[in-house]
Amino acid sequence: MPKITFMGAGSTVFAKNVLGDIILNPVLKGSEIALYDIDPQRLKDSEMMIKNLNEKYKGEMKIKSYLGVENRKEALRGAKYVINAIQVGGYKPSTVIDFEIPKKYGLRQTIGDTLGIGGIFRALRTIPVLKEFADDMAEVCPDALFLNYTNPMSILTGALIKFGVKTVGLCHSVQVCVPGLLEPLGISTENVQWKIAGINHQAWLLEITRDGKDLYPEIKEKAFKRPTPHNDMVRYEIMRQFGYYVTESSEHNAEYVPWFIKKSHPELIEKYNIPLDEYPRRCENQIKGWNEMRKQLVENKDIEHKKTNEFASYIIEAVETDKPYRIHGNVLNTGLITNLPNEAVVEVPCMVDRNGINPCYVGDLPQQLAAINRMSINVHLLTLEAAFTLKKDYIYMAAMLDPHTGSELTIDEIRAMVDDLIEAHGDWLPKFK
């Protein structure tokens, strides 16, 4: 049975979702699970939880923990699958810095993990760590499939590809898109067929039908009459203006484009029900509630798990059994979406079997959707350029071309903000010249 290594296993809740799914999968019974983290307490908590799940559901997994950089190579040695869920710099200090310094310049964010100034700096401090992973993997598990769950998804997956790692970026926004759209509108999800493609967190519901009938007219009629306020107002407005629904949540998409968070129009925050500083708020609430959550997850020998919609266990099963399974994955755009750059990472349907991840051809996106994606891709590619050249100028350029940042701040403000962020992050970043 395969060895499955989980990097960032201290992400206890997410480890439960992904590794719990693997334990429940009878095809993977008896696999080896290696848990790796740099935080001893969180690693110990996750190990106890996974062992409790393994015992309860008779997974017969061989579970071993590996703590710290000095044991990382052993955690990876012989792995066939590597699952990545690290957060470099954590909530404190790094995420707090990503939010508080831009706020001093009047730049507000909601999540800050995918695009924008928060996404840029999260990528810059994560890519050097992924390079260390890649170097270790080249030595001890060169053929392993790397399942990346860490944001910013597109940028980090692009970096891993450049490092020569066999990888796919995974997110659950595609799986929850159609149910999340239809259920609040009272539209059944039964027998619905759909097609989604684009880039991570900004993929598009290109088609949605039932028995050959286009559901978009009914969706739009009900969506635009839905009583406000609600939590999907940004996505509805994007659908109203550009014709299509976007996969990721409104709080995310509010900061990906230049139209919703504007210091010159503070009334837009209430109009579109935008939760500024949402990610720090979630983190603070999770920290406050951790002791109670810990009792439920870690100290509970009778812990239960129901299979989730995360793709990891399905991918591993498909490769192991050669039974094809369709996912949506983040992969290099080798002509898959023909009006997006080939060097971009795109999110497209992929068939998985013993041959691994096999991306599917999509063709052209509607021009307006490709145009929105290209705004984000500019930031992705320039952030990668900054990470690989260590030239500060590319960080400035990425920030200036970010749709939200560039619409709010002057060039001088952006450069000053970037300098402040580099100084504040200190050793969490490589040295830029």
Side-chain angles (χ1 to χ4, degrees), residues 167 323 379 410 423:
T167 188
K323 288 183 179 179
V379 182
T410 67
E423 182 179 359

Side-chain angles (χ1 to χ4, degrees), residues 19 50 64 126 180 237 258 275 291 364 375:
L19 295 178
I50 296 303
K64 186 174 180 180
T126 306
E237 188 63 36
N291 286 336
D364 274 0
M375 290 194 298

Side-chain angles (χ1 to χ4, degrees), residues 272-284:
Y272 292 106
N273 197 28
I274 297 169
L276 294 175
D277 297 326
E278 174 65 13
Y279 186 68
R281 186 161 46 249
R282 290 179 191 175
C283 291
E284 291 290 346

Side-chain angles (χ1 to χ4, degrees), residues 336-347:
L336 303 168
I337 299 181
T338 43
N339 53 354
L340 294 182
N342 281 344
E343 63 269 36
V345 168
V346 293
E347 192 166 68

Side-chain angles (χ1 to χ4, degrees), residues 119-121 123-125 127-128 155 159 162-163 378-399 418 422 429-433:
I120 291 168
F121 274 84
L124 293 174
R125 63 180 178 265
I127 289 172
I155 302 173
K162 285 178 176 285
F163 293 144
N378 291 335
V379 182
H380 300 167
L381 297 181
L382 283 164
T383 303
L384 284 170
E385 201 70 21
F388 278 79
T389 65
L390 295 181
K391 290 183 179 178
K392 197 187 301 183
D393 281 349
Y394 288 114
I395 310 178
Y396 298 141
M397 294 177 202
V418 166
I422 291 172
L429 291 174
K431 300 303 178 188
F432 290 93
K433 49 187 183 287

